[in-house]
Amino acid sequence: MDNKVVTTLMRTYRDLGIHVLRFNFRGVGKSEGVFDNAIGEQDDLRAMVRWCQQMLPEVGLSLAGFSFGSSIAAQVSYEVKGLLHLTLVAPPVERYPYARDNQFSSATCVIQGDQDERVIAQGVYDWVAGLQGEVELLRYPEAGHFFHGYLTALKTDLTQILQQQLQ
């Protein structure tokens, strides 16, 4: 939850006046438990969603995830009633499930760097091209997986997308 991409996402939402909750999945940092192959991690996110809905029942929810976390956000997104927005950064679509029937239940932004050393960028672009619904792609030709040197541009561009898609 403390890497530069995740903190950039947090700052983007926060600076738009959107409440933000960041957390570590089980077994990461000081979190209890052990990695559960994207099964228990979905339960972690479901628990956070329930907590947010209890604490701020009048506030609509958006989800955002980076790399592995983007798959967890995508999978759980279908369970969040009235989800406002979904942001997926460097989604490893070749390794984890994402869109059901090539469509998400909310407006979605996918962010990918062409020089990603962990995710097959062309695979992401091909996947996005087949998605239906309101989907925006932010593509950074020189960016790698952690968007070194592109985080300011990512924040600026995502801010514009969120302002458009959350109207």
Side-chain angles (χ1 to χ4, degrees), residues 126-155:
D126 293 344
W127 171 73
V128 168
L131 290 175
Q132 300 170 11
E134 188 177 356
V135 180
E136 291 286 340
L137 172 65
L138 293 177
R139 183 175 178 171
Y140 297 89
E142 301 300 319
H145 190 68
F146 293 98
F147 294 86
H148 297 301
Y150 295 91
L151 292 171
T152 300
L154 187 154
K155 183 178 186 292

PDB file of all heavy atoms in Angstrom, residues 126-155:
ATOM      1  N   ASP A 126      -4.990  -5.265 -26.228  1.00  0.00           N
ATOM      2  CA  ASP A 126      -5.931  -6.127 -26.954  1.00  0.00           C
ATOM      3  C   ASP A 126      -7.170  -6.402 -26.105  1.00  0.00           C
ATOM      4  O   ASP A 126      -8.297  -6.378 -26.607  1.00  0.00           O
ATOM      5  CB  ASP A 126      -5.263  -7.452 -27.346  1.00  0.00           C
ATOM      6  CG  ASP A 126      -4.149  -7.271 -28.369  1.00  0.00           C
ATOM      7  OD1 ASP A 126      -4.079  -6.194 -29.019  1.00  0.00           O
ATOM      8  OD2 ASP A 126      -3.334  -8.208 -28.510  1.00  0.00           O
ATOM      9  N   TRP A 127      -6.971  -6.653 -24.820  1.00  0.00           N
ATOM     10  CA  TRP A 127      -8.074  -6.911 -23.899  1.00  0.00           C
ATOM     11  C   TRP A 127      -8.987  -5.685 -23.793  1.00  0.00           C
ATOM     12  O   TRP A 127     -10.200  -5.808 -23.896  1.00  0.00           O
ATOM     13  CB  TRP A 127      -7.498  -7.314 -22.538  1.00  0.00           C
ATOM     14  CG  TRP A 127      -8.494  -7.398 -21.437  1.00  0.00           C
ATOM     15  CD1 TRP A 127      -9.449  -8.370 -21.264  1.00  0.00           C
ATOM     16  CD2 TRP A 127      -8.629  -6.501 -20.349  1.00  0.00           C
ATOM     17  NE1 TRP A 127     -10.170  -8.116 -20.121  1.00  0.00           N
ATOM     18  CE2 TRP A 127      -9.683  -6.969 -19.546  1.00  0.00           C
ATOM     19  CE3 TRP A 127      -7.969  -5.334 -19.958  1.00  0.00           C
ATOM     20  CZ2 TRP A 127     -10.098  -6.325 -18.380  1.00  0.00           C
ATOM     21  CZ3 TRP A 127      -8.362  -4.693 -18.808  1.00  0.00           C
ATOM     22  CH2 TRP A 127      -9.421  -5.185 -18.033  1.00  0.00           C
ATOM     23  N   VAL A 128      -8.387  -4.509 -23.625  1.00  0.00           N
ATOM     24  CA  VAL A 128      -9.176  -3.273 -23.516  1.00  0.00           C
ATOM     25  C   VAL A 128      -9.986  -3.039 -24.791  1.00  0.00           C
ATOM     26  O   VAL A 128     -11.149  -2.637 -24.734  1.00  0.00           O
ATOM     27  CB  VAL A 128      -8.270  -2.053 -23.209  1.00  0.00           C
ATOM     28  CG1 VAL A 128      -9.026  -0.738 -23.373  1.00  0.00           C
ATOM     29  CG2 VAL A 128      -7.705  -2.151 -21.796  1.00  0.00           C
ATOM     30  N   ALA A 129      -9.399  -3.335 -25.942  1.00  0.00           N
ATOM     31  CA  ALA A 129     -10.100  -3.129 -27.214  1.00  0.00           C
ATOM     32  C   ALA A 129     -11.373  -3.977 -27.300  1.00  0.00           C
ATOM     33  O   ALA A 129     -12.328  -3.597 -27.988  1.00  0.00           O
ATOM     34  CB  ALA A 129      -9.178  -3.450 -28.388  1.00  0.00           C
ATOM     35  N   GLY A 130     -11.408  -5.082 -26.603  1.00  0.00           N
ATOM     36  CA  GLY A 130     -12.579  -5.956 -26.629  1.00  0.00           C
ATOM     37  C   GLY A 130     -13.606  -5.666 -25.543  1.00  0.00           C
ATOM     38  O   GLY A 130     -14.658  -6.296 -25.504  1.00  0.00           O
ATOM     39  N   LEU A 131     -13.304  -4.718 -24.660  1.00  0.00           N
ATOM     40  CA  LEU A 131     -14.244  -4.398 -23.581  1.00  0.00           C
ATOM     41  C   LEU A 131     -15.403  -3.561 -24.091  1.00  0.00           C
ATOM     42  O   LEU A 131     -15.246  -2.726 -24.982  1.00  0.00           O
ATOM     43  CB  LEU A 131     -13.535  -3.639 -22.452  1.00  0.00           C
ATOM     44  CG  LEU A 131     -12.540  -4.428 -21.623  1.00  0.00           C
ATOM     45  CD1 LEU A 131     -11.838  -3.513 -20.625  1.00  0.00           C
ATOM     46  CD2 LEU A 131     -13.220  -5.583 -20.907  1.00  0.00           C
ATOM     47  N   GLN A 132     -16.560  -3.771 -23.497  1.00  0.00           N
ATOM     48  CA  GLN A 132     -17.745  -2.975 -23.799  1.00  0.00           C
ATOM     49  C   GLN A 132     -17.987  -2.028 -22.627  1.00  0.00           C
ATOM     50  O   GLN A 132     -17.452  -2.205 -21.547  1.00  0.00           O
ATOM     51  CB  GLN A 132     -18.949  -3.884 -23.990  1.00  0.00           C
ATOM     52  CG  GLN A 132     -18.770  -4.870 -25.114  1.00  0.00           C
ATOM     53  CD  GLN A 132     -19.868  -5.910 -25.135  1.00  0.00           C
ATOM     54  OE1 GLN A 132     -20.865  -5.800 -24.452  1.00  0.00           O
ATOM     55  NE2 GLN A 132     -19.671  -6.947 -25.933  1.00  0.00           N
ATOM     56  N   GLY A 133     -18.820  -1.030 -22.855  1.00  0.00           N
ATOM     57  CA  GLY A 133     -19.142  -0.088 -21.788  1.00  0.00           C
ATOM     58  C   GLY A 133     -18.215   1.106 -21.800  1.00  0.00           C
ATOM     59  O   GLY A 133     -17.425   1.317 -22.724  1.00  0.00           O
ATOM     60  N   GLU A 134     -18.293   1.882 -20.735  1.00  0.00           N
ATOM     61  CA  GLU A 134     -17.510   3.121 -20.625  1.00  0.00           C
ATOM     62  C   GLU A 134     -16.119   2.801 -20.088  1.00  0.00           C
ATOM     63  O   GLU A 134     -15.930   2.629 -18.882  1.00  0.00           O
ATOM     64  CB  GLU A 134     -18.225   4.114 -19.703  1.00  0.00           C
ATOM     65  CG  GLU A 134     -17.572   5.471 -19.688  1.00  0.00           C
ATOM     66  CD  GLU A 134     -18.325   6.479 -18.829  1.00  0.00           C
ATOM     67  OE1 GLU A 134     -19.405   6.154 -18.307  1.00  0.00           O
ATOM     68  OE2 GLU A 134     -17.812   7.600 -18.697  1.00  0.00           O
ATOM     69  N   VAL A 135     -15.155   2.699 -21.009  1.00  0.00           N
ATOM     70  CA  VAL A 135     -13.781   2.351 -20.651  1.00  0.00           C
ATOM     71  C   VAL A 135     -12.830   3.347 -21.292  1.00  0.00           C
ATOM     72  O   VAL A 135     -12.915   3.620 -22.489  1.00  0.00           O
ATOM     73  CB  VAL A 135     -13.421   0.925 -21.140  1.00  0.00           C
ATOM     74  CG1 VAL A 135     -11.988   0.575 -20.772  1.00  0.00           C
ATOM     75  CG2 VAL A 135     -14.383  -0.099 -20.571  1.00  0.00           C
ATOM     76  N   GLU A 136     -11.942   3.887 -20.474  1.00  0.00           N
ATOM     77  CA  GLU A 136     -10.889   4.782 -20.963  1.00  0.00           C
ATOM     78  C   GLU A 136      -9.551   4.091 -20.751  1.00  0.00           C
ATOM     79  O   GLU A 136      -9.335   3.442 -19.724  1.00  0.00           O
ATOM     80  CB  GLU A 136     -10.895   6.107 -20.195  1.00  0.00           C
ATOM     81  CG  GLU A 136     -12.094   6.974 -20.461  1.00  0.00           C
ATOM     82  CD  GLU A 136     -12.060   7.656 -21.826  1.00  0.00           C
ATOM     83  OE1 GLU A 136     -10.960   7.766 -22.420  1.00  0.00           O
ATOM     84  OE2 GLU A 136     -13.125   8.072 -22.288  1.00  0.00           O
ATOM     85  N   LEU A 137      -8.651   4.241 -21.716  1.00  0.00           N
ATOM     86  CA  LEU A 137      -7.304   3.695 -21.617  1.00  0.00           C
ATOM     87  C   LEU A 137      -6.321   4.849 -21.548  1.00  0.00           C
ATOM     88  O   LEU A 137      -6.325   5.737 -22.404  1.00  0.00           O
ATOM     89  CB  LEU A 137      -6.984   2.821 -22.837  1.00  0.00           C
ATOM     90  CG  LEU A 137      -5.539   2.348 -22.960  1.00  0.00           C
ATOM     91  CD1 LEU A 137      -5.163   1.411 -21.813  1.00  0.00           C
ATOM     92  CD2 LEU A 137      -5.318   1.675 -24.312  1.00  0.00           C
ATOM     93  N   LEU A 138      -5.482   4.841 -20.513  1.00  0.00           N
ATOM     94  CA  LEU A 138      -4.359   5.772 -20.428  1.00  0.00           C
ATOM     95  C   LEU A 138      -3.108   4.962 -20.722  1.00  0.00           C
ATOM     96  O   LEU A 138      -2.774   4.031 -19.987  1.00  0.00           O
ATOM     97  CB  LEU A 138      -4.265   6.400 -19.032  1.00  0.00           C
ATOM     98  CG  LEU A 138      -5.394   7.329 -18.625  1.00  0.00           C
ATOM     99  CD1 LEU A 138      -5.199   7.808 -17.192  1.00  0.00           C
ATOM    100  CD2 LEU A 138      -5.472   8.514 -19.583  1.00  0.00           C
ATOM    101  N   ARG A 139      -2.444   5.314 -21.807  1.00  0.00           N
ATOM    102  CA  ARG A 139      -1.285   4.549 -22.286  1.00  0.00           C
ATOM    103  C   ARG A 139      -0.051   5.433 -22.236  1.00  0.00           C
ATOM    104  O   ARG A 139      -0.073   6.564 -22.735  1.00  0.00           O
ATOM    105  CB  ARG A 139      -1.569   4.092 -23.719  1.00  0.00           C
ATOM    106  CG  ARG A 139      -0.508   3.235 -24.309  1.00  0.00           C
ATOM    107  CD  ARG A 139      -0.946   2.733 -25.670  1.00  0.00           C
ATOM    108  NE  ARG A 139       0.099   1.936 -26.273  1.00  0.00           N
ATOM    109  CZ  ARG A 139      -0.041   1.226 -27.367  1.00  0.00           C
ATOM    110  NH1 ARG A 139      -1.203   1.219 -28.007  1.00  0.00           N
ATOM    111  NH2 ARG A 139       0.959   0.531 -27.857  1.00  0.00           N
ATOM    112  N   TYR A 140       1.025   4.907 -21.653  1.00  0.00           N
ATOM    113  CA  TYR A 140       2.274   5.651 -21.507  1.00  0.00           C
ATOM    114  C   TYR A 140       3.379   4.885 -22.238  1.00  0.00           C
ATOM    115  O   TYR A 140       3.887   3.879 -21.720  1.00  0.00           O
ATOM    116  CB  TYR A 140       2.610   5.844 -20.026  1.00  0.00           C
ATOM    117  CG  TYR A 140       1.559   6.664 -19.333  1.00  0.00           C
ATOM    118  CD1 TYR A 140       0.449   6.076 -18.756  1.00  0.00           C
ATOM    119  CD2 TYR A 140       1.645   8.056 -19.337  1.00  0.00           C
ATOM    120  CE1 TYR A 140      -0.547   6.831 -18.167  1.00  0.00           C
ATOM    121  CE2 TYR A 140       0.650   8.822 -18.747  1.00  0.00           C
ATOM    122  CZ  TYR A 140      -0.437   8.198 -18.163  1.00  0.00           C
ATOM    123  OH  TYR A 140      -1.433   8.959 -17.590  1.00  0.00           O
ATOM    124  N   PRO A 141       3.756   5.337 -23.447  1.00  0.00           N
ATOM    125  CA  PRO A 141       4.702   4.596 -24.285  1.00  0.00           C
ATOM    126  C   PRO A 141       6.061   4.308 -23.646  1.00  0.00           C
ATOM    127  O   PRO A 141       6.676   3.290 -23.948  1.00  0.00           O
ATOM    128  CB  PRO A 141       4.863   5.488 -25.523  1.00  0.00           C
ATOM    129  CG  PRO A 141       3.581   6.254 -25.580  1.00  0.00           C
ATOM    130  CD  PRO A 141       3.204   6.500 -24.151  1.00  0.00           C
ATOM    131  N   GLU A 142       6.545   5.171 -22.784  1.00  0.00           N
ATOM    132  CA  GLU A 142       7.877   4.976 -22.205  1.00  0.00           C
ATOM    133  C   GLU A 142       7.846   4.449 -20.776  1.00  0.00           C
ATOM    134  O   GLU A 142       8.896   4.245 -20.174  1.00  0.00           O
ATOM    135  CB  GLU A 142       8.660   6.294 -22.256  1.00  0.00           C
ATOM    136  CG  GLU A 142       8.838   6.868 -23.652  1.00  0.00           C
ATOM    137  CD  GLU A 142       9.590   5.920 -24.584  1.00  0.00           C
ATOM    138  OE1 GLU A 142      10.567   5.286 -24.143  1.00  0.00           O
ATOM    139  OE2 GLU A 142       9.188   5.807 -25.761  1.00  0.00           O
ATOM    140  N   ALA A 143       6.678   4.233 -20.202  1.00  0.00           N
ATOM    141  CA  ALA A 143       6.580   3.851 -18.791  1.00  0.00           C
ATOM    142  C   ALA A 143       6.715   2.352 -18.588  1.00  0.00           C
ATOM    143  O   ALA A 143       6.202   1.551 -19.367  1.00  0.00           O
ATOM    144  CB  ALA A 143       5.256   4.332 -18.212  1.00  0.00           C
ATOM    145  N   GLY A 144       7.394   2.004 -17.494  1.00  0.00           N
ATOM    146  CA  GLY A 144       7.495   0.613 -17.064  1.00  0.00           C
ATOM    147  C   GLY A 144       6.403   0.289 -16.056  1.00  0.00           C
ATOM    148  O   GLY A 144       5.465   1.075 -15.846  1.00  0.00           O
ATOM    149  N   HIS A 145       6.547  -0.825 -15.389  1.00  0.00           N
ATOM    150  CA  HIS A 145       5.525  -1.317 -14.468  1.00  0.00           C
ATOM    151  C   HIS A 145       5.241  -0.340 -13.325  1.00  0.00           C
ATOM    152  O   HIS A 145       4.103  -0.189 -12.906  1.00  0.00           O
ATOM    153  CB  HIS A 145       5.941  -2.675 -13.909  1.00  0.00           C
ATOM    154  CG  HIS A 145       4.864  -3.369 -13.151  1.00  0.00           C
ATOM    155  ND1 HIS A 145       3.731  -3.865 -13.758  1.00  0.00           N
ATOM    156  CD2 HIS A 145       4.741  -3.653 -11.825  1.00  0.00           C
ATOM    157  CE1 HIS A 145       2.951  -4.427 -12.840  1.00  0.00           C
ATOM    158  NE2 HIS A 145       3.550  -4.315 -11.658  1.00  0.00           N
ATOM    159  N   PHE A 146       6.282   0.312 -12.820  1.00  0.00           N
ATOM    160  CA  PHE A 146       6.109   1.205 -11.673  1.00  0.00           C
ATOM    161  C   PHE A 146       6.000   2.679 -12.077  1.00  0.00           C
ATOM    162  O   PHE A 146       5.999   3.557 -11.232  1.00  0.00           O
ATOM    163  CB  PHE A 146       7.232   0.986 -10.651  1.00  0.00           C
ATOM    164  CG  PHE A 146       7.155  -0.373 -10.016  1.00  0.00           C
ATOM    165  CD1 PHE A 146       7.946  -1.406 -10.484  1.00  0.00           C
ATOM    166  CD2 PHE A 146       6.268  -0.633  -8.991  1.00  0.00           C
ATOM    167  CE1 PHE A 146       7.865  -2.678  -9.920  1.00  0.00           C
ATOM    168  CE2 PHE A 146       6.175  -1.891  -8.422  1.00  0.00           C
ATOM    169  CZ  PHE A 146       6.981  -2.915  -8.891  1.00  0.00           C
ATOM    170  N   PHE A 147       5.913   2.954 -13.385  1.00  0.00           N
ATOM    171  CA  PHE A 147       5.657   4.291 -13.920  1.00  0.00           C
ATOM    172  C   PHE A 147       6.677   5.327 -13.443  1.00  0.00           C
ATOM    173  O   PHE A 147       6.336   6.497 -13.255  1.00  0.00           O
ATOM    174  CB  PHE A 147       4.222   4.742 -13.594  1.00  0.00           C
ATOM    175  CG  PHE A 147       3.191   3.901 -14.291  1.00  0.00           C
ATOM    176  CD1 PHE A 147       2.744   2.719 -13.724  1.00  0.00           C
ATOM    177  CD2 PHE A 147       2.691   4.275 -15.527  1.00  0.00           C
ATOM    178  CE1 PHE A 147       1.807   1.918 -14.376  1.00  0.00           C
ATOM    179  CE2 PHE A 147       1.754   3.488 -16.188  1.00  0.00           C
ATOM    180  CZ  PHE A 147       1.308   2.307 -15.600  1.00  0.00           C
ATOM    181  N   HIS A 148       7.940   4.897 -13.245  1.00  0.00           N
ATOM    182  CA  HIS A 148       8.989   5.838 -12.839  1.00  0.00           C
ATOM    183  C   HIS A 148       9.072   6.976 -13.857  1.00  0.00           C
ATOM    184  O   HIS A 148       9.140   6.740 -15.061  1.00  0.00           O
ATOM    185  CB  HIS A 148      10.349   5.138 -12.737  1.00  0.00           C
ATOM    186  CG  HIS A 148      10.393   4.081 -11.689  1.00  0.00           C
ATOM    187  ND1 HIS A 148      10.153   4.320 -10.356  1.00  0.00           N
ATOM    188  CD2 HIS A 148      10.630   2.745 -11.781  1.00  0.00           C
ATOM    189  CE1 HIS A 148      10.252   3.201  -9.678  1.00  0.00           C
ATOM    190  NE2 HIS A 148      10.529   2.224 -10.525  1.00  0.00           N
ATOM    191  N   GLY A 149       9.017   8.195 -13.378  1.00  0.00           N
ATOM    192  CA  GLY A 149       9.076   9.368 -14.238  1.00  0.00           C
ATOM    193  C   GLY A 149       7.737   9.748 -14.854  1.00  0.00           C
ATOM    194  O   GLY A 149       7.656  10.761 -15.555  1.00  0.00           O
ATOM    195  N   TYR A 150       6.698   8.976 -14.607  1.00  0.00           N
ATOM    196  CA  TYR A 150       5.387   9.237 -15.224  1.00  0.00           C
ATOM    197  C   TYR A 150       4.254   9.370 -14.207  1.00  0.00           C
ATOM    198  O   TYR A 150       3.097   9.501 -14.590  1.00  0.00           O
ATOM    199  CB  TYR A 150       5.047   8.129 -16.234  1.00  0.00           C
ATOM    200  CG  TYR A 150       6.017   8.143 -17.380  1.00  0.00           C
ATOM    201  CD1 TYR A 150       7.169   7.367 -17.332  1.00  0.00           C
ATOM    202  CD2 TYR A 150       5.826   8.990 -18.469  1.00  0.00           C
ATOM    203  CE1 TYR A 150       8.088   7.420 -18.360  1.00  0.00           C
ATOM    204  CE2 TYR A 150       6.735   9.046 -19.491  1.00  0.00           C
ATOM    205  CZ  TYR A 150       7.875   8.258 -19.427  1.00  0.00           C
ATOM    206  OH  TYR A 150       8.794   8.325 -20.441  1.00  0.00           O
ATOM    207  N   LEU A 151       4.588   9.355 -12.932  1.00  0.00           N
ATOM    208  CA  LEU A 151       3.541   9.399 -11.913  1.00  0.00           C
ATOM    209  C   LEU A 151       2.795  10.728 -11.887  1.00  0.00           C
ATOM    210  O   LEU A 151       1.582  10.754 -11.667  1.00  0.00           O
ATOM    211  CB  LEU A 151       4.116   9.060 -10.542  1.00  0.00           C
ATOM    212  CG  LEU A 151       4.576   7.606 -10.411  1.00  0.00           C
ATOM    213  CD1 LEU A 151       5.345   7.396  -9.116  1.00  0.00           C
ATOM    214  CD2 LEU A 151       3.405   6.648 -10.502  1.00  0.00           C
ATOM    215  N   THR A 152       3.491  11.820 -12.146  1.00  0.00           N
ATOM    216  CA  THR A 152       2.815  13.125 -12.185  1.00  0.00           C
ATOM    217  C   THR A 152       1.842  13.172 -13.355  1.00  0.00           C
ATOM    218  O   THR A 152       0.691  13.613 -13.205  1.00  0.00           O
ATOM    219  CB  THR A 152       3.844  14.269 -12.281  1.00  0.00           C
ATOM    220  OG1 THR A 152       4.697  14.202 -11.128  1.00  0.00           O
ATOM    221  CG2 THR A 152       3.163  15.623 -12.332  1.00  0.00           C
ATOM    222  N   ALA A 153       2.268  12.693 -14.514  1.00  0.00           N
ATOM    223  CA  ALA A 153       1.380  12.643 -15.684  1.00  0.00           C
ATOM    224  C   ALA A 153       0.211  11.704 -15.420  1.00  0.00           C
ATOM    225  O   ALA A 153      -0.935  12.021 -15.767  1.00  0.00           O
ATOM    226  CB  ALA A 153       2.162  12.192 -16.919  1.00  0.00           C
ATOM    227  N   LEU A 154       0.475  10.566 -14.790  1.00  0.00           N
ATOM    228  CA  LEU A 154      -0.587   9.620 -14.472  1.00  0.00           C
ATOM    229  C   LEU A 154      -1.630  10.287 -13.577  1.00  0.00           C
ATOM    230  O   LEU A 154      -2.834  10.187 -13.828  1.00  0.00           O
ATOM    231  CB  LEU A 154       0.006   8.394 -13.776  1.00  0.00           C
ATOM    232  CG  LEU A 154      -0.914   7.208 -13.513  1.00  0.00           C
ATOM    233  CD1 LEU A 154      -0.094   5.923 -13.430  1.00  0.00           C
ATOM    234  CD2 LEU A 154      -1.724   7.366 -12.256  1.00  0.00           C
ATOM    235  N   LYS A 155      -1.184  11.001 -12.557  1.00  0.00           N
ATOM    236  CA  LYS A 155      -2.111  11.682 -11.638  1.00  0.00           C
ATOM    237  C   LYS A 155      -2.939  12.725 -12.380  1.00  0.00           C
ATOM    238  O   LYS A 155      -4.161  12.794 -12.221  1.00  0.00           O
ATOM    239  CB  LYS A 155      -1.348  12.332 -10.488  1.00  0.00           C
ATOM    240  CG  LYS A 155      -2.250  12.998  -9.446  1.00  0.00           C
ATOM    241  CD  LYS A 155      -1.415  13.570  -8.309  1.00  0.00           C
ATOM    242  CE  LYS A 155      -2.266  14.096  -7.186  1.00  0.00           C
ATOM    243  NZ  LYS A 155      -3.052  15.265  -7.500  1.00  0.00           N
TER     244      LYS A 155
END
